[in-house]
Amino acid sequence: MSAVCLAFANQKGGVGKTTCVINIAAELGKRGKRVLLVDMDPQGNATSGLGIAKKSVKISSYQVLIGEADAKSAIVVTEFKNLSLIPSTISLVGAEFDLHTSEERGRDVIKALAPIKEDYDFILIDCPPTLGMLTINALAAADGVIIPMPCDFFSLEGLSQLNLTIKKVRSLYNPSLDITGLLLTMYNKRLLLTAQVEGELRKYYADKLFNTTISRSVKLAEAPGFGRPIAYFDPYGKGALEYREVVKELLLRV
Ligand SMILES: Nc1ncnc2c1ncn2[C@@H]1O[C@H](COP(=O)(O)OP(=O)(O)O)[C@@H](O)[C@H]1O
Ligand SMILES: [Mg+2]
């Protein structure tokens, strides 16, 4: 069986992409799924958030993408159950340009991951906060996209732009690309704005919204500083519970 490949994308920064990808990856691993997280953000937050020092990275997603190294050689096994990582370093910034000038532009990630797709149940890609070639490449390689977003007005605006990109990727590279789900992050149900934005989303994306929402939580913000997913950092807290619930929903959708 070939891995289900999911891209975590949203061109806005600070919306919870990396937090979602780390914690969903760790929870899937805990449930016995073989998981590979591919860090495609030059900032490398998913790498450090899993306790891998960026300075220690020998082969990064950058070398894999430009074809200088094969995916297998870049894989780092983490200390967490069933969870491996292709790490990122700042050198990936160059890839926006290198991918752009390569002949087939959007297909570099598809090619890079093809040899290892049978080795995993899930390949989760953490995208950078742009709609550049890195994100387009990730979307081209993905079966589905998960869109983490807080309940605010700019996020609603951003969603239509992201949708245009998804449509473009569908027509150019990947006709079966689907939105697997919209995940509301940093959720605070006491805010009126939260209710308003959620109401809009329920109108237009009813079948895409995860029922589970991820509350704002200090523990979730602290965990990456300790290099641990929430399921290991604070396994009985609210954050871990909510991510467990999201993963249950996700497993029904893929
Ligand atoms: N549910 C949450 N509650 C509190 N802080 C959060 C939550 N999710 C993410 N954060 C924090 O918000 C910041 C941005 O999240 P991050 O996952 O890095 O977003 P992105 O990858 O979209 O830039 C980080 O400091 C992160 O620790
Ligand atoms: Mg990030």
Side-chain angles (χ1 to χ4, degrees), residues 12-19 45 186 214-217 220-221 224:
K12 260 175 72 74
V15 296
K17 288 182 289 297
T18 301
T19 306
N45 297 145
M186 304 173 202
I214 307 296
S215 306
R216 194 172 274 284
S217 126
L220 280 175

Side-chain angles (χ1 to χ4, degrees), residues 8-23 41 43 45-46 126-129 148-150 184-187 213-225 239 242-243:
F8 287 64
N10 187 327
Q11 71 278 19
K12 260 175 72 74
V15 296
K17 288 182 289 297
T18 301
T19 306
C20 288
V21 79
I22 287 176
N23 290 312
D41 184 349
Q43 293 177 72
N45 297 145
D126 190 20
C127 294
M149 58 179 286
L184 298 181
T185 59
M186 304 173 202
Y187 190 81
T213 52
I214 307 296
S215 306
R216 194 172 274 284
S217 126
V218 173
K219 293 276 190 209
L220 280 175
E222 283 174 350
E242 289 171 345
Y243 274 107

Side-chain angles (χ1 to χ4, degrees), residues 16-157:
K17 288 182 289 297
T18 301
T19 306
C20 288
V21 79
I22 287 176
N23 290 312
I24 289 175
E27 185 55 33
L28 284 167
K30 268 198 149 178
R31 285 174 155 256
K33 305 291 182 190
R34 299 162 303 161
V35 184
L36 177 69
L37 197 167
V38 182
D39 189 349
M40 287 212 3
D41 184 349
Q43 293 177 72
N45 297 145
T47 300
S48 52
L50 287 174
I52 309 289
K54 278 175 260 184
K55 274 185 295 192
S56 73
V57 172
K58 303 238 162 35
I59 302 174
S60 75
S61 52
Y62 175 65
Q63 279 107 309
V64 175
L65 287 187
I66 63 169
E68 233 175 68
D70 61 24
K72 230 176 203 146
S73 68
I75 293 170
V76 176
V77 176
T78 73
E79 63 182 287
F80 310 109
K81 189 180 169 201
N82 293 323
L83 179 53
S84 294
L85 169 77
I86 294 185
S88 155
T89 61
I90 194 72
S91 57
L92 190 58
V93 168
E96 287 282 5
F97 178 76
D98 295 342
L99 295 181
H100 199 76
T101 52
S102 83
E103 259 174 41
E104 272 210 288
R105 293 176 45 148
R107 292 185 211 279
D108 293 311
V109 170
I110 300 179
K111 283 189 213 146
L113 296 181
I116 54 168
K117 274 203 99 173
E118 308 291 320
D119 301 342
Y120 295 94
D121 299 307
F122 284 91
I123 297 179
L124 307 184
I125 305 178
D126 190 20
C127 294
T130 62
L131 292 176
M133 282 314 285
L134 284 169
T135 297
I136 290 183
N137 257 271
L139 293 174
D143 301 294
V145 48
I146 292 186
I147 306 172
M149 58 179 286
C151 278
D152 60 35
F153 177 69
F154 290 145
S155 295
L156 268 186
E157 267 194 336

